[in-house]
PDB file of all heavy atoms in Angstrom:
ATOM      1  N   ASP M  74       7.155   6.275   9.685  1.00  0.00           N
ATOM      2  CA  ASP M  74       8.266   6.258   8.744  1.00  0.00           C
ATOM      3  C   ASP M  74       8.883   7.547   8.854  1.00  0.00           C
ATOM      4  O   ASP M  74       8.398   8.519   9.291  1.00  0.00           O
ATOM      5  CB  ASP M  74       7.664   5.944   7.393  1.00  0.00           C
ATOM      6  CG  ASP M  74       8.872   5.410   6.454  1.00  0.00           C
ATOM      7  OD1 ASP M  74      10.029   5.204   7.014  1.00  0.00           O
ATOM      8  OD2 ASP M  74       8.677   5.126   5.244  1.00  0.00           O
ATOM      9  N   THR M  75      10.139   7.573   8.366  1.00  0.00           N
ATOM     10  CA  THR M  75      11.008   8.671   8.321  1.00  0.00           C
ATOM     11  C   THR M  75      11.650   8.702   6.944  1.00  0.00           C
ATOM     12  O   THR M  75      12.166   7.716   6.486  1.00  0.00           O
ATOM     13  CB  THR M  75      12.055   8.713   9.385  1.00  0.00           C
ATOM     14  OG1 THR M  75      11.530   8.607  10.620  1.00  0.00           O
ATOM     15  CG2 THR M  75      12.856  10.028   9.274  1.00  0.00           C
ATOM     16  N   VAL M  76      11.511   9.981   6.269  1.00  0.00           N
ATOM     17  CA  VAL M  76      12.256  10.097   5.007  1.00  0.00           C
ATOM     18  C   VAL M  76      13.200  11.404   5.206  1.00  0.00           C
ATOM     19  O   VAL M  76      12.950  12.147   6.136  1.00  0.00           O
ATOM     20  CB  VAL M  76      11.272  10.424   3.819  1.00  0.00           C
ATOM     21  CG1 VAL M  76      10.497   9.146   3.541  1.00  0.00           C
ATOM     22  CG2 VAL M  76      10.454  11.625   4.033  1.00  0.00           C
ATOM     23  N   TYR M  77      14.214  11.405   4.445  1.00  0.00           N
ATOM     24  CA  TYR M  77      15.242  12.361   4.632  1.00  0.00           C
ATOM     25  C   TYR M  77      15.375  13.322   3.390  1.00  0.00           C
ATOM     26  O   TYR M  77      15.261  12.925   2.276  1.00  0.00           O
ATOM     27  CB  TYR M  77      16.623  11.732   4.853  1.00  0.00           C
ATOM     28  CG  TYR M  77      16.618  10.945   6.144  1.00  0.00           C
ATOM     29  CD1 TYR M  77      16.255   9.608   6.046  1.00  0.00           C
ATOM     30  CD2 TYR M  77      16.811  11.503   7.381  1.00  0.00           C
ATOM     31  CE1 TYR M  77      16.235   8.812   7.316  1.00  0.00           C
ATOM     32  CE2 TYR M  77      16.718  10.787   8.513  1.00  0.00           C
ATOM     33  CZ  TYR M  77      16.453   9.439   8.491  1.00  0.00           C
ATOM     34  OH  TYR M  77      16.312   8.611   9.619  1.00  0.00           O
ATOM     35  N   CYS M  78      15.446  14.606   3.819  1.00  0.00           N
ATOM     36  CA  CYS M  78      15.551  15.647   2.639  1.00  0.00           C
ATOM     37  C   CYS M  78      16.614  15.363   1.657  1.00  0.00           C
ATOM     38  O   CYS M  78      16.512  15.850   0.516  1.00  0.00           O
ATOM     39  CB  CYS M  78      15.611  17.008   3.231  1.00  0.00           C
ATOM     40  SG  CYS M  78      14.212  17.531   4.224  1.00  0.00           S
ATOM     41  N   TYR M  82      12.847  10.888  -3.151  1.00  0.00           N
ATOM     42  CA  TYR M  82      11.797   9.981  -2.949  1.00  0.00           C
ATOM     43  C   TYR M  82      10.453  10.498  -3.781  1.00  0.00           C
ATOM     44  O   TYR M  82      10.483  11.669  -3.943  1.00  0.00           O
ATOM     45  CB  TYR M  82      11.475   9.869  -1.431  1.00  0.00           C
ATOM     46  CG  TYR M  82      11.220  11.104  -0.703  1.00  0.00           C
ATOM     47  CD1 TYR M  82       9.940  11.658  -0.579  1.00  0.00           C
ATOM     48  CD2 TYR M  82      12.289  11.747  -0.041  1.00  0.00           C
ATOM     49  CE1 TYR M  82       9.747  12.863   0.092  1.00  0.00           C
ATOM     50  CE2 TYR M  82      12.033  12.948   0.599  1.00  0.00           C
ATOM     51  CZ  TYR M  82      10.806  13.482   0.674  1.00  0.00           C
ATOM     52  OH  TYR M  82      10.575  14.633   1.336  1.00  0.00           O
ATOM     53  N   PRO M  90       5.314  12.730   0.933  1.00  0.00           N
ATOM     54  CA  PRO M  90       5.897  11.487   0.483  1.00  0.00           C
ATOM     55  C   PRO M  90       4.821  10.465   0.043  1.00  0.00           C
ATOM     56  O   PRO M  90       3.815  10.368   0.668  1.00  0.00           O
ATOM     57  CB  PRO M  90       6.578  10.995   1.774  1.00  0.00           C
ATOM     58  CG  PRO M  90       6.894  12.271   2.527  1.00  0.00           C
ATOM     59  CD  PRO M  90       5.726  13.192   2.267  1.00  0.00           C
ATOM     60  N   GLN M 125      -2.335  15.686   7.299  1.00  0.00           N
ATOM     61  CA  GLN M 125      -2.124  16.993   7.926  1.00  0.00           C
ATOM     62  C   GLN M 125      -0.691  17.195   8.056  1.00  0.00           C
ATOM     63  O   GLN M 125      -0.010  16.428   8.658  1.00  0.00           O
ATOM     64  CB  GLN M 125      -2.900  16.946   9.240  1.00  0.00           C
ATOM     65  CG  GLN M 125      -2.776  18.337   9.959  1.00  0.00           C
ATOM     66  CD  GLN M 125      -3.517  18.287  11.355  1.00  0.00           C
ATOM     67  OE1 GLN M 125      -3.982  17.250  11.803  1.00  0.00           O
ATOM     68  NE2 GLN M 125      -3.450  19.380  11.979  1.00  0.00           N
ATOM     69  N   VAL M 126      -0.195  18.350   7.622  1.00  0.00           N
ATOM     70  CA  VAL M 126       1.193  18.693   7.615  1.00  0.00           C
ATOM     71  C   VAL M 126       1.555  19.725   8.645  1.00  0.00           C
ATOM     72  O   VAL M 126       0.940  20.769   8.662  1.00  0.00           O
ATOM     73  CB  VAL M 126       1.707  19.109   6.109  1.00  0.00           C
ATOM     74  CG1 VAL M 126       3.191  19.328   6.117  1.00  0.00           C
ATOM     75  CG2 VAL M 126       1.280  18.045   5.151  1.00  0.00           C
ATOM     76  N   LEU M 127       2.537  19.430   9.504  1.00  0.00           N
ATOM     77  CA  LEU M 127       3.016  20.358  10.480  1.00  0.00           C
ATOM     78  C   LEU M 127       4.521  20.738  10.169  1.00  0.00           C
ATOM     79  O   LEU M 127       5.300  19.743  10.205  1.00  0.00           O
ATOM     80  CB  LEU M 127       2.973  19.798  11.883  1.00  0.00           C
ATOM     81  CG  LEU M 127       1.546  19.330  12.307  1.00  0.00           C
ATOM     82  CD1 LEU M 127       1.629  18.503  13.588  1.00  0.00           C
ATOM     83  CD2 LEU M 127       0.595  20.543  12.442  1.00  0.00           C
ATOM     84  N   ASP M 128       4.779  21.999  10.005  1.00  0.00           N
ATOM     85  CA  ASP M 128       6.187  22.404   9.613  1.00  0.00           C
ATOM     86  C   ASP M 128       6.732  22.797  10.992  1.00  0.00           C
ATOM     87  O   ASP M 128       6.370  23.697  11.615  1.00  0.00           O
ATOM     88  CB  ASP M 128       6.214  23.698   8.604  1.00  0.00           C
ATOM     89  CG  ASP M 128       7.521  23.965   8.213  1.00  0.00           C
ATOM     90  OD1 ASP M 128       8.522  23.411   8.706  1.00  0.00           O
ATOM     91  OD2 ASP M 128       7.709  24.912   7.485  1.00  0.00           O
ATOM     92  N   LEU M 129       7.757  22.019  11.322  1.00  0.00           N
ATOM     93  CA  LEU M 129       8.415  22.259  12.738  1.00  0.00           C
ATOM     94  C   LEU M 129       9.784  22.817  12.554  1.00  0.00           C
ATOM     95  O   LEU M 129      10.661  22.390  13.309  1.00  0.00           O
ATOM     96  CB  LEU M 129       8.417  20.862  13.418  1.00  0.00           C
ATOM     97  CG  LEU M 129       7.078  20.345  13.639  1.00  0.00           C
ATOM     98  CD1 LEU M 129       7.183  18.855  14.274  1.00  0.00           C
ATOM     99  CD2 LEU M 129       6.171  21.207  14.507  1.00  0.00           C
ATOM    100  N   GLY M 130      10.060  23.585  11.497  1.00  0.00           N
ATOM    101  CA  GLY M 130      11.463  24.097  11.279  1.00  0.00           C
ATOM    102  C   GLY M 130      12.297  23.120  10.549  1.00  0.00           C
ATOM    103  O   GLY M 130      12.242  23.004   9.326  1.00  0.00           O
ATOM    104  N   CYS M 131      13.247  22.488  11.288  1.00  0.00           N
ATOM    105  CA  CYS M 131      14.253  21.539  10.685  1.00  0.00           C
ATOM    106  C   CYS M 131      13.475  20.242  10.298  1.00  0.00           C
ATOM    107  O   CYS M 131      14.152  19.302   9.891  1.00  0.00           O
ATOM    108  CB  CYS M 131      15.403  21.324  11.577  1.00  0.00           C
ATOM    109  SG  CYS M 131      16.354  22.823  11.860  1.00  0.00           S
ATOM    110  N   MET M 132      12.273  19.968  10.699  1.00  0.00           N
ATOM    111  CA  MET M 132      11.620  18.827  10.462  1.00  0.00           C
ATOM    112  C   MET M 132      10.207  19.054  10.061  1.00  0.00           C
ATOM    113  O   MET M 132       9.519  20.091  10.527  1.00  0.00           O
ATOM    114  CB  MET M 132      11.603  17.950  11.832  1.00  0.00           C
ATOM    115  CG  MET M 132      10.739  16.786  11.745  1.00  0.00           C
ATOM    116  SD  MET M 132      10.779  15.825  13.290  1.00  0.00           S
ATOM    117  CE  MET M 132      10.177  16.937  14.531  1.00  0.00           C
ATOM    118  N   THR M 133       9.660  18.348   9.260  1.00  0.00           N
ATOM    119  CA  THR M 133       8.155  18.368   8.911  1.00  0.00           C
ATOM    120  C   THR M 133       7.571  17.012   9.326  1.00  0.00           C
ATOM    121  O   THR M 133       8.097  15.942   9.100  1.00  0.00           O
ATOM    122  CB  THR M 133       7.991  18.488   7.338  1.00  0.00           C
ATOM    123  OG1 THR M 133       8.710  19.726   6.975  1.00  0.00           O
ATOM    124  CG2 THR M 133       6.553  18.542   7.021  1.00  0.00           C
ATOM    125  N   LYS M 134       6.398  17.169   9.885  1.00  0.00           N
ATOM    126  CA  LYS M 134       5.693  16.047  10.454  1.00  0.00           C
ATOM    127  C   LYS M 134       4.366  15.899   9.602  1.00  0.00           C
ATOM    128  O   LYS M 134       3.548  16.829   9.648  1.00  0.00           O
ATOM    129  CB  LYS M 134       5.292  16.222  11.928  1.00  0.00           C
ATOM    130  CG  LYS M 134       4.628  15.064  12.641  1.00  0.00           C
ATOM    131  CD  LYS M 134       4.416  15.429  14.019  1.00  0.00           C
ATOM    132  CE  LYS M 134       3.763  14.262  14.748  1.00  0.00           C
ATOM    133  NZ  LYS M 134       3.456  14.642  16.197  1.00  0.00           N
ATOM    134  N   VAL M 135       4.158  14.731   8.975  1.00  0.00           N
ATOM    135  CA  VAL M 135       3.027  14.434   8.146  1.00  0.00           C
ATOM    136  C   VAL M 135       2.234  13.513   9.004  1.00  0.00           C
ATOM    137  O   VAL M 135       2.665  12.390   9.260  1.00  0.00           O
ATOM    138  CB  VAL M 135       3.355  13.895   6.757  1.00  0.00           C
ATOM    139  CG1 VAL M 135       2.055  13.591   6.039  1.00  0.00           C
ATOM    140  CG2 VAL M 135       4.280  14.936   6.017  1.00  0.00           C
ATOM    141  N   MET M 136       1.097  13.852   9.354  1.00  0.00           N
ATOM    142  CA  MET M 136       0.035  12.923  10.086  1.00  0.00           C
ATOM    143  C   MET M 136      -0.937  12.417   9.072  1.00  0.00           C
ATOM    144  O   MET M 136      -1.756  13.127   8.607  1.00  0.00           O
ATOM    145  CB  MET M 136      -0.600  13.748  11.241  1.00  0.00           C
ATOM    146  CG  MET M 136       0.351  14.191  12.269  1.00  0.00           C
ATOM    147  SD  MET M 136      -0.358  15.433  13.477  1.00  0.00           S
ATOM    148  CE  MET M 136      -1.679  14.558  14.065  1.00  0.00           C
ATOM    149  N   ILE M 157       2.465   8.305  11.243  1.00  0.00           N
ATOM    150  CA  ILE M 157       3.228   9.617  11.341  1.00  0.00           C
ATOM    151  C   ILE M 157       4.480   9.437  10.409  1.00  0.00           C
ATOM    152  O   ILE M 157       5.214   8.468  10.567  1.00  0.00           O
ATOM    153  CB  ILE M 157       3.781   9.779  12.895  1.00  0.00           C
ATOM    154  CG1 ILE M 157       2.585   9.824  13.833  1.00  0.00           C
ATOM    155  CG2 ILE M 157       4.588  11.032  12.974  1.00  0.00           C
ATOM    156  CD1 ILE M 157       1.592  10.933  13.648  1.00  0.00           C
ATOM    157  N   ILE M 158       4.644  10.408   9.628  1.00  0.00           N
ATOM    158  CA  ILE M 158       5.824  10.402   8.651  1.00  0.00           C
ATOM    159  C   ILE M 158       6.645  11.627   8.982  1.00  0.00           C
ATOM    160  O   ILE M 158       6.084  12.733   8.918  1.00  0.00           O
ATOM    161  CB  ILE M 158       5.353  10.458   7.233  1.00  0.00           C
ATOM    162  CG1 ILE M 158       4.438   9.241   6.945  1.00  0.00           C
ATOM    163  CG2 ILE M 158       6.463  10.506   6.413  1.00  0.00           C
ATOM    164  CD1 ILE M 158       3.619   9.423   5.779  1.00  0.00           C
ATOM    165  N   PHE M 159       7.891  11.422   9.348  1.00  0.00           N
ATOM    166  CA  PHE M 159       8.823  12.537   9.595  1.00  0.00           C
ATOM    167  C   PHE M 159       9.622  12.807   8.371  1.00  0.00           C
ATOM    168  O   PHE M 159      10.173  11.843   7.815  1.00  0.00           O
ATOM    169  CB  PHE M 159       9.715  12.256  10.773  1.00  0.00           C
ATOM    170  CG  PHE M 159       8.948  12.240  12.128  1.00  0.00           C
ATOM    171  CD1 PHE M 159       8.679  10.983  12.678  1.00  0.00           C
ATOM    172  CD2 PHE M 159       8.554  13.308  12.743  1.00  0.00           C
ATOM    173  CE1 PHE M 159       8.073  10.857  13.866  1.00  0.00           C
ATOM    174  CE2 PHE M 159       7.828  13.273  13.998  1.00  0.00           C
ATOM    175  CZ  PHE M 159       7.586  11.949  14.501  1.00  0.00           C
ATOM    176  N   ILE M 160       9.757  14.063   7.982  1.00  0.00           N
ATOM    177  CA  ILE M 160      10.594  14.463   6.860  1.00  0.00           C
ATOM    178  C   ILE M 160      11.760  15.230   7.629  1.00  0.00           C
ATOM    179  O   ILE M 160      11.513  16.370   8.142  1.00  0.00           O
ATOM    180  CB  ILE M 160       9.888  15.365   5.831  1.00  0.00           C
ATOM    181  CG1 ILE M 160       8.727  14.568   5.278  1.00  0.00           C
ATOM    182  CG2 ILE M 160      10.857  15.680   4.725  1.00  0.00           C
ATOM    183  CD1 ILE M 160       7.948  15.426   4.396  1.00  0.00           C
ATOM    184  N   LEU M 161      12.975  14.602   7.709  1.00  0.00           N
ATOM    185  CA  LEU M 161      14.136  15.253   8.421  1.00  0.00           C
ATOM    186  C   LEU M 161      15.097  15.776   7.449  1.00  0.00           C
ATOM    187  O   LEU M 161      15.446  15.204   6.427  1.00  0.00           O
ATOM    188  CB  LEU M 161      14.781  14.257   9.374  1.00  0.00           C
ATOM    189  CG  LEU M 161      13.778  13.629  10.428  1.00  0.00           C
ATOM    190  CD1 LEU M 161      14.574  12.610  11.165  1.00  0.00           C
ATOM    191  CD2 LEU M 161      13.236  14.658  11.300  1.00  0.00           C
ATOM    192  N   ASP M 162      15.742  16.866   7.840  1.00  0.00           N
ATOM    193  CA  ASP M 162      16.829  17.512   7.152  1.00  0.00           C
ATOM    194  C   ASP M 162      18.044  17.239   8.179  1.00  0.00           C
ATOM    195  O   ASP M 162      18.149  18.010   9.105  1.00  0.00           O
ATOM    196  CB  ASP M 162      16.609  18.943   6.940  1.00  0.00           C
ATOM    197  CG  ASP M 162      17.739  19.594   6.192  1.00  0.00           C
ATOM    198  OD1 ASP M 162      18.867  18.938   5.851  1.00  0.00           O
ATOM    199  OD2 ASP M 162      17.712  20.786   5.760  1.00  0.00           O
ATOM    200  N   THR M 163      18.807  16.247   7.893  1.00  0.00           N
ATOM    201  CA  THR M 163      19.988  15.985   8.804  1.00  0.00           C
ATOM    202  C   THR M 163      21.305  16.266   8.245  1.00  0.00           C
ATOM    203  O   THR M 163      22.310  16.018   8.828  1.00  0.00           O
ATOM    204  CB  THR M 163      19.926  14.496   9.071  1.00  0.00           C
ATOM    205  OG1 THR M 163      20.072  13.679   7.927  1.00  0.00           O
ATOM    206  CG2 THR M 163      18.632  14.032   9.805  1.00  0.00           C
ATOM    207  N   VAL M 164      21.316  16.952   6.992  1.00  0.00           N
ATOM    208  CA  VAL M 164      22.567  17.371   6.372  1.00  0.00           C
ATOM    209  C   VAL M 164      22.804  18.777   6.529  1.00  0.00           C
ATOM    210  O   VAL M 164      22.078  19.614   6.103  1.00  0.00           O
ATOM    211  CB  VAL M 164      22.593  17.006   4.833  1.00  0.00           C
ATOM    212  CG1 VAL M 164      23.793  17.392   4.209  1.00  0.00           C
ATOM    213  CG2 VAL M 164      22.214  15.505   4.702  1.00  0.00           C
TER     214      VAL M 164
END
Side-chain angles (χ1 to χ4, degrees):
D74 200 2
T75 302
V76 294
Y77 297 94
C78 291
Y82 54 88
Q125 181 180 2
V126 180
L127 304 173
D128 185 357
L129 304 173
C131 295
M132 170 179 62
T133 300
K134 182 178 182 180
V135 179
M136 297 169 52
I157 304 295
I158 303 163
F159 293 102
I160 304 171
L161 299 180
D162 182 356
T163 59
V164 178

